[in-house]
Amino acid sequence: MIAFLKEWTLPVAICVGTICYLTFNYVPQLDELGNELAPVFDVIFPLFVFLTLLVTFCKVDFHQMLPHRWHTGILVAQLLLVAANIAIILWSKQIEAEEDSSLFTLHSSLLWEAVLTCIIGPAASASPVVVGKLGGNISTMTTYVLISSLASALMIPLVFPMLEQAVQVPFFDAFLIILQKVSIVLLLPLVLGWIIQHHLKALCRWVVSMPNLSFYCWAISLSITTGITVKNIVHSEASLTLLLSIAAATFVLCFVQFGIGRLVGRHLGEEVNAGQALFQKNTALSIWVAYMYLHPVASIGAGCYVLWQNIINSLELWQFQRSETSPQPSPKERE
């Protein structure tokens, strides 16, 4: 049982979050307990995100945190995907206006807006955790998360007002808000990780001696995120058809971004890092962006995406662990 939980930690976390929310939502006797626990989870969630990153950054080689060719390749790929998605959204909105807001075209624009939130968002703050488990370079991945966060903070206030003309948020104000949200989560544990490495070396050795600590902290965060995602889906006013369309589209998008990232990385020497960089997204920021700039239904896209990306991450980790534990052929057998 313990071996199963270790091997499939992320799907188990998703199931736990889903079951817990649905239980509290549909059992009236638990309403009072749920109201008491809500503020507790509001504190626990950012705490475990913070611990996940802090533990990871204690292992980062800060001397390797330099820009690489694959960073540029992934940013270009993201920009091209964003541009293609914007073109589709504007086209669907034009058809919607010409056809007097028909139901199909309305759903079409909302569907593609939901997809856009999963493309334009920055790389997940916790992506170095998975990269480390897959044998990738944590340091260069951390650098890309910083670069990606800055790029998204620039793109989002430029792109979304074009799609929703009612939004009147000045570019610089929006840029600072997004940058602040990312910085609090990302930069503080990065700075503390550097301090621990250089001035609290005994503590650093203790943290490094537990290689899976950041992974399990992340699993707890994922369980809470899943509960929030299920809550948004259950209470959404969107039709079942639209919800299923968004779930299917984001599922396909996961594989598209993962495949493109791997392809770019294969040509630029960092296949594992590049695949995770384009594919694993900061969905919490994407959900906030959808509420801020678009339609609440668009936030369902990022909610579904976080489930799909973690299921794919689990399969990646299972395949990697299987290849690591399988016996390697001897030189004679290779011949």
Side-chain angles (χ1 to χ4, degrees):
M1 185 64 177
I2 295 177
F4 174 82
L5 292 175
K6 286 183 178 179
E7 192 168 4
W8 298 101
T9 302
L10 301 185
V12 169
I14 291 172
C15 291
V16 169
T18 302
I19 293 169
C20 285
Y21 173 74
L22 293 177
T23 301
F24 277 91
N25 187 61
Y26 290 110
V27 178
Q29 292 81 358
L30 295 176
D31 286 348
E32 186 177 347
L33 179 60
N35 293 333
E36 293 177 0
L37 289 177
V40 176
F41 282 106
D42 289 342
V43 174
I44 288 176
F45 178 66
L47 175 62
F48 274 97
V49 172
F50 178 85
L51 289 175
T52 299
L53 297 177
L54 179 60
V55 171
T56 302
F57 294 152
C58 285
K59 306 171 187 177
V60 166
D61 184 349
F62 288 89
H63 295 96
Q64 292 186 22
M65 287 187 62
L66 298 170
H68 284 251
R69 288 189 308 156
W70 71 266
H71 294 162
T72 303
I74 294 300
L75 281 176
V76 170
Q78 184 184 19
L79 286 171
L80 291 175
L81 287 170
V82 167
N85 202 301
I86 290 171
I88 294 172
I89 292 172
L90 294 176
W91 173 75
S92 66
K93 284 181 177 290
Q94 183 180 0
I95 294 177
E96 175 187 332
E98 292 173 354
E99 297 185 2
D100 195 23
S101 299
S102 69
L103 188 63
F104 173 78
T105 52
L106 175 62
H107 279 195
S108 177
S109 63
L110 286 175
L111 170 63
W112 288 103
E113 285 180 356
V115 170
L116 179 60
T117 63
C118 304
I119 298 173
I120 202 170
S125 302
S127 54
V129 178
V130 179
V131 164
K133 295 280 287 183
L134 293 172
N137 190 317
I138 296 176
S139 302
T140 58
M141 188 67 214
T142 301
T143 304
Y144 181 76
V145 172
L146 295 170
I147 295 172
S148 173
S149 299
L150 180 60
S152 292
L154 288 168
M155 282 192 291
I156 288 168
L158 284 172
V159 167
F160 283 96
M162 291 192 309
L163 305 178
E164 296 293 334
Q165 298 299 328
V167 177
Q168 299 295 331
V169 182
F171 168 80
F172 191 67
D173 290 349
F175 172 76
L176 290 180
I177 292 171
I178 296 168
L179 207 58
Q180 180 187 28
K181 285 182 173 291
V182 173
S183 298
I184 291 173
V185 174
L186 189 62
L187 291 183
L188 182 57
L190 185 65
V191 171
L192 289 178
W194 183 89
I195 292 172
I196 290 172
Q197 269 197 36
H198 292 82
H199 300 288
L200 299 170
K201 295 185 178 180
L203 177 58
C204 185
R205 285 193 297 270
W206 178 76
V207 170
V208 172
S209 68
M210 295 180 288
N212 291 320
L213 180 59
S214 59
F215 183 67
Y216 292 130
C217 287
W218 177 40
I220 294 172
S221 303
L222 174 61
S223 187
I224 299 172
T225 303
T226 302
I228 296 170
T229 299
V230 174
K231 176 184 177 182
N232 291 339
I233 293 172
V234 169
H235 294 283
S236 173
E237 297 179 357
S239 67
L240 180 61
T241 302
L242 180 56
L243 289 176
L244 291 175
S245 299
I246 291 173
T250 52
F251 179 73
V252 172
L253 179 65
C254 272
F255 287 97
V256 170
Q257 295 197 122
F258 182 75
I260 293 174
R262 285 270 183 165
L263 182 63
V264 170
R266 196 174 300 133
H267 285 86
L268 299 179
E270 282 280 7
E271 186 173 354
V272 172
N273 284 45
Q276 292 302 131
L278 188 60
F279 150 71
Q280 193 171 343
K281 294 294 184 177
N282 185 336
T283 51
L285 181 64
S286 296
I287 290 171
W288 175 83
V289 164
Y291 274 103
M292 178 78 175
Y293 285 99
L294 301 174
H295 191 284
V297 173
S299 68
I300 301 297
C304 293
Y305 193 92
V306 71
L307 303 180
W308 302 138
Q309 77 177 9
N310 282 289
I311 290 171
I312 294 173
N313 279 335
S314 297
L315 294 173
E316 276 191 285
L317 293 169
W318 173 76
Q319 186 177 30
F320 179 77
Q321 291 166 2
R322 189 178 179 185
S323 65
E324 288 288 294
T325 55
S326 61
Q328 299 297 320
S330 64
K332 288 186 177 180
E333 291 173 327
R334 290 195 190 101
E335 292 173 4

